[in-house]
Amino acid sequence: MADARFFNDEPFLDHEEGPDLLGHGQYAQHVISLLDRVRDQTETGVLALIGPWGSGKSSVLGKVTRRLRETANDDGWLVAELNPWLYSDLESLTLALFSEIREALPNDGRWSDVREKIGGFGKAISPLGKVTALFGLDSEGLIQEVSNRISGDTSASAAKHKAEEALRKAGRPVLVVMDDLDRLTPEELLVVFKLVRLVGHLPNVYYLISFDERTLLDVLQRSELVGNSEPRARDFLEKIIQVRLDLPAFRERDADTLVDRSLSAVLTSHSLTLTPSEQERLSEAYYRYLQARLRTPRAIKRFFGQVDATLGQLTGNVDIVDFLIVTFLRTSEPRAYQLLWQHRAELTGTGVDLSSRRDERPEQGIERWRTRLQDAGVAEQHLDGVIGLMGMLFAPVRQALGHGTNFQAIALRRGIGSIDYFDRYMVFGVPDDDLPEHTFDTALQQLTDNTPGAEADELLLRLRDDTQRITRRIGYKRAAGTPLPAAALLKAAAPHYGHLTAAPQGALGLFTADRAMDILAKDLLTDLAEPERPAILKTMAETPDGAVLAARTLQRVTSRNDSDSPDHTAATLNWIGEARSLTSHEIARHLAPSARRPVDELTEPEITLLWAWRHTEPEAARAWINQRLDQDWSPLDLLAVLLPPDRAPFPVIDNDTLQSLDALIGLETLHNRLAPLDTPAAHPDNFQDEHRARILQALREHRGDAPSNG
């Protein structure tokens, strides 16, 4: 559909060589036929093309003037177009009229006399200053003009008589076309009508004007001549206009056809096609909410022009139906559109709900949005439609309307209702901190093919710095059934596990980067065939950070399938056992250097590795730790390292921690080793001593022999 022209005032999708989509061509021919009939009956006249704003009046006028010029012969119509907006007084407009008529006349010699007489009449009735301005006279020309006026025949009536005789003798009709008269001020409008009815009442000169009648009547009623009376305004128009041409109604079928063709043109221009589900959603949006607002060719052209202008680099990066709806809101309800950004967190479900809204009934949420939209200037008759469109975009609004909601479905289609894609719709592009879909897909393919590339490097960098969003987007691909390079992603992510820099997210900031990576790693490992998993986990565990991720991932995948489960096959037990052994071996290798250092010199990564070890082979972990305790590590110092003092307001040791200590060291063994220290000093000398005392007290309480308070 290369013929779609959205960015001008000309008709589009309705050219002379194409189908007469709106019937404008047929009606233009009717106007031309009527002009010929009027010419046969009178030597001058005024015809008015009347229709609402945006209904296609300019398109019809364009076809009329174009066809008249294309079919002009020695006896045919000459066309002059006059823009009244450019002139604020009768003198200037009069001179402009005669200038345009002169320009419309042929340039050959037989017309020279007519051209001269027309120009003479215009000059005769215009002040010298207007003549100078419009004809661009220099000082010498100005002196000559003054001389001519002093010495010559300057009678306006004589000049008009000569012009009339010349026009009659020429025998060709001149059509003066004036569009959009309803946009003039009352004073300017009266000037035009004076020109048409009085000064410009010349033989073989006809006028074709166009306007929106309702608007024009309102303008006339603001003038002193007519006053605030619609009947007087109509009477005045009837005196000016001999022939009234009402533009045929723009039917619902016409609007639907134009919308369909406009949409096809945009989709073709951007190499897009709609899926069946997209077609279904768009049909719902159009027939429920948009159809009543897209009722004129101008409204339709303006809407799709904005779509075509702003889709650009968003092609393939957003949901096309959401983009169409958002564009409609932006062009038709701009202040309502601004509310989307203002309430971004609420609409995407990422904000902290106010306590007053936790028990809010659905109708209360809708009423809140009605108030917001009313304050934003949305007309009462449009409120339900705008809210309905928002319900198609945002899960919280849809839920308040009483419909089911699914945030993942919105994210899977890259909808504006997902926090991961919202900004794209508001900045008309993919922000710098986001990855375009093509880059994302190329990176995944490079990882699949094991072919290094800039896109894969960028993806892994974002996985470190924007972990939650990238893991979610990988999850969306997985949920959509897109094959993922699970092994490659696990191997690539593992070394960076301890260096994730993304800030916590979620309503309370509890969704951390490592938590997001843990979830993704579990899903990716699950996607691998069981025999492949041990080798992948071993490769992941080749670095200390990767070993932690491997251990945690293994624990997550196997925790619900304990080795004692009767559902386990021999093959499943084999891969789990092999994976635990391989991962445990790597952890022991990473911890070997720490065996030669005092316990209080353990690094954060080493402490994390110790805790992770309990997920693979707790027996090996217990043996290794107890060997250190048998040599030179203090059990209380080890606990002080494993249980940092910054857990407040949480207990120093809760039930989960107790179970972890049992897996890592053995509670009975631990209590036996701590027995000589079971009575701490009454008044610890420093903070570290106080922390150790709290640990011993907590262990005693869990053991059940804490002293009674009674």
Side-chain angles (χ1 to χ4, degrees), residues 321-340:
V321 179
D322 279 24
F323 183 78
L324 289 166
I325 295 173
V326 171
T327 302
F328 175 81
L329 292 175
R330 181 169 58 82
T331 54
S332 300
E333 302 288 356
R335 291 176 60 195
Y337 167 78
Q338 293 170 3
L339 290 177
L340 304 186

Short mmCIF file of all heavy atoms in Angstrom, two decimals, residues 321-340:
data_model
loop_
_atom_site.label_atom_id
_atom_site.label_comp_id
_atom_site.label_asym_id
_atom_site.label_seq_id
_atom_site.Cartn_x
_atom_site.Cartn_y
_atom_site.Cartn_z
N VAL A 321 -1.31 -3.89 18.83
CA VAL A 321 -2.66 -3.49 19.25
C VAL A 321 -2.57 -2.50 20.40
O VAL A 321 -3.26 -1.47 20.42
CB VAL A 321 -3.50 -4.72 19.63
CG1 VAL A 321 -4.89 -4.29 20.10
CG2 VAL A 321 -3.60 -5.68 18.46
N ASP A 322 -1.73 -2.79 21.38
CA ASP A 322 -1.53 -1.84 22.48
C ASP A 322 -1.04 -0.50 21.94
O ASP A 322 -1.48 0.57 22.38
CB ASP A 322 -0.51 -2.39 23.48
CG ASP A 322 -1.11 -3.39 24.45
OD1 ASP A 322 -2.15 -3.98 24.10
OD2 ASP A 322 -0.56 -3.57 25.54
N PHE A 323 -0.13 -0.55 20.96
CA PHE A 323 0.41 0.69 20.40
C PHE A 323 -0.69 1.50 19.72
O PHE A 323 -0.74 2.73 19.85
CB PHE A 323 1.52 0.38 19.41
CG PHE A 323 2.18 1.61 18.85
CD1 PHE A 323 3.10 2.31 19.59
CD2 PHE A 323 1.85 2.07 17.58
CE1 PHE A 323 3.69 3.46 19.09
CE2 PHE A 323 2.43 3.21 17.07
CZ PHE A 323 3.36 3.92 17.82
N LEU A 324 -1.58 0.84 19.00
CA LEU A 324 -2.69 1.54 18.36
C LEU A 324 -3.59 2.20 19.39
O LEU A 324 -4.00 3.36 19.24
CB LEU A 324 -3.49 0.57 17.50
CG LEU A 324 -2.82 0.08 16.21
CD1 LEU A 324 -3.57 -1.12 15.64
CD2 LEU A 324 -2.75 1.19 15.17
N ILE A 325 -3.89 1.49 20.46
CA ILE A 325 -4.76 2.04 21.50
C ILE A 325 -4.09 3.22 22.20
O ILE A 325 -4.71 4.27 22.42
CB ILE A 325 -5.15 0.95 22.52
CG1 ILE A 325 -6.00 -0.13 21.85
CG2 ILE A 325 -5.89 1.55 23.71
CD1 ILE A 325 -6.29 -1.33 22.73
N VAL A 326 -2.81 3.06 22.55
CA VAL A 326 -2.09 4.14 23.22
C VAL A 326 -2.00 5.36 22.31
O VAL A 326 -2.15 6.51 22.76
CB VAL A 326 -0.68 3.67 23.63
CG1 VAL A 326 0.16 4.84 24.14
CG2 VAL A 326 -0.78 2.60 24.72
N THR A 327 -1.78 5.14 21.01
CA THR A 327 -1.71 6.26 20.07
C THR A 327 -3.05 6.97 19.98
O THR A 327 -3.10 8.21 19.90
CB THR A 327 -1.28 5.77 18.68
OG1 THR A 327 -0.01 5.12 18.79
CG2 THR A 327 -1.16 6.93 17.71
N PHE A 328 -4.14 6.23 20.01
CA PHE A 328 -5.46 6.86 20.00
C PHE A 328 -5.63 7.74 21.24
O PHE A 328 -6.11 8.88 21.14
CB PHE A 328 -6.56 5.81 19.95
CG PHE A 328 -7.94 6.39 20.06
CD1 PHE A 328 -8.55 6.95 18.96
CD2 PHE A 328 -8.60 6.42 21.28
CE1 PHE A 328 -9.81 7.53 19.06
CE2 PHE A 328 -9.85 6.99 21.40
CZ PHE A 328 -10.47 7.55 20.29
N LEU A 329 -5.26 7.23 22.40
CA LEU A 329 -5.38 8.03 23.62
C LEU A 329 -4.51 9.28 23.54
O LEU A 329 -4.92 10.37 23.95
CB LEU A 329 -4.99 7.19 24.84
CG LEU A 329 -5.92 6.03 25.21
CD1 LEU A 329 -5.34 5.23 26.36
CD2 LEU A 329 -7.31 6.55 25.57
N ARG A 330 -3.32 9.13 23.00
CA ARG A 330 -2.40 10.27 22.92
C ARG A 330 -2.92 11.36 21.98
O ARG A 330 -2.77 12.55 22.25
CB ARG A 330 -1.02 9.79 22.45
CG ARG A 330 0.02 10.89 22.34
CD ARG A 330 1.40 10.30 22.15
NE ARG A 330 1.48 9.46 20.98
CZ ARG A 330 1.66 9.91 19.74
NH1 ARG A 330 1.78 11.20 19.51
NH2 ARG A 330 1.74 9.06 18.72
N THR A 331 -3.55 10.96 20.88
CA THR A 331 -4.00 11.94 19.90
C THR A 331 -5.39 12.49 20.22
O THR A 331 -5.67 13.65 19.94
CB THR A 331 -4.02 11.33 18.48
OG1 THR A 331 -4.81 10.13 18.49
CG2 THR A 331 -2.62 10.99 18.03
N SER A 332 -6.25 11.66 20.82
CA SER A 332 -7.63 12.09 21.06
C SER A 332 -7.86 12.58 22.49
O SER A 332 -8.73 13.43 22.72
CB SER A 332 -8.60 10.94 20.77
OG SER A 332 -8.50 10.53 19.43
N GLU A 333 -7.11 12.04 23.44
CA GLU A 333 -7.26 12.43 24.84
C GLU A 333 -5.87 12.64 25.44
O GLU A 333 -5.40 11.88 26.30
CB GLU A 333 -8.01 11.35 25.63
CG GLU A 333 -9.40 11.01 25.12
CD GLU A 333 -10.42 12.12 25.39
OE1 GLU A 333 -10.05 13.11 26.05
OE2 GLU A 333 -11.57 11.98 24.96
N PRO A 334 -5.16 13.69 25.01
CA PRO A 334 -3.75 13.87 25.43
C PRO A 334 -3.55 13.98 26.93
O PRO A 334 -2.55 13.49 27.46
CB PRO A 334 -3.32 15.15 24.70
CG PRO A 334 -4.59 15.83 24.30
CD PRO A 334 -5.59 14.76 24.09
N ARG A 335 -4.47 14.61 27.64
CA ARG A 335 -4.29 14.74 29.08
C ARG A 335 -4.54 13.41 29.79
O ARG A 335 -3.92 13.12 30.82
CB ARG A 335 -5.21 15.83 29.62
CG ARG A 335 -4.79 17.24 29.17
CD ARG A 335 -5.77 18.29 29.64
NE ARG A 335 -5.87 18.32 31.09
CZ ARG A 335 -6.84 18.93 31.77
NH1 ARG A 335 -7.81 19.54 31.09
NH2 ARG A 335 -6.87 18.92 33.08
N ALA A 336 -5.45 12.61 29.26
CA ALA A 336 -5.64 11.26 29.80
C ALA A 336 -4.40 10.42 29.55
O ALA A 336 -3.98 9.62 30.40
CB ALA A 336 -6.87 10.61 29.17
N TYR A 337 -3.78 10.60 28.39
CA TYR A 337 -2.54 9.89 28.06
C TYR A 337 -1.45 10.24 29.07
O TYR A 337 -0.68 9.37 29.49
CB TYR A 337 -2.12 10.27 26.64
CG TYR A 337 -0.71 9.88 26.25
CD1 TYR A 337 -0.40 8.58 25.91
CD2 TYR A 337 0.31 10.84 26.22
CE1 TYR A 337 0.89 8.22 25.54
CE2 TYR A 337 1.59 10.50 25.85
CZ TYR A 337 1.88 9.19 25.51
OH TYR A 337 3.16 8.85 25.15
N GLN A 338 -1.39 11.49 29.49
CA GLN A 338 -0.38 11.89 30.47
C GLN A 338 -0.58 11.20 31.82
O GLN A 338 0.38 10.99 32.57
CB GLN A 338 -0.41 13.41 30.65
CG GLN A 338 0.04 14.17 29.41
CD GLN A 338 -0.23 15.66 29.50
OE1 GLN A 338 -0.70 16.16 30.53
NE2 GLN A 338 0.07 16.38 28.44
N LEU A 339 -1.81 10.84 32.12
CA LEU A 339 -2.09 10.12 33.38
C LEU A 339 -1.42 8.75 33.41
O LEU A 339 -1.13 8.23 34.49
CB LEU A 339 -3.59 9.95 33.57
CG LEU A 339 -4.41 11.21 33.87
CD1 LEU A 339 -5.89 10.86 33.96
CD2 LEU A 339 -3.95 11.87 35.17
N LEU A 340 -1.21 8.16 32.24
CA LEU A 340 -0.59 6.83 32.21
C LEU A 340 0.80 6.88 32.85
O LEU A 340 1.16 6.00 33.63
CB LEU A 340 -0.49 6.32 30.76
CG LEU A 340 -1.78 6.26 29.95
CD1 LEU A 340 -1.52 5.60 28.61
CD2 LEU A 340 -2.88 5.54 30.71
#
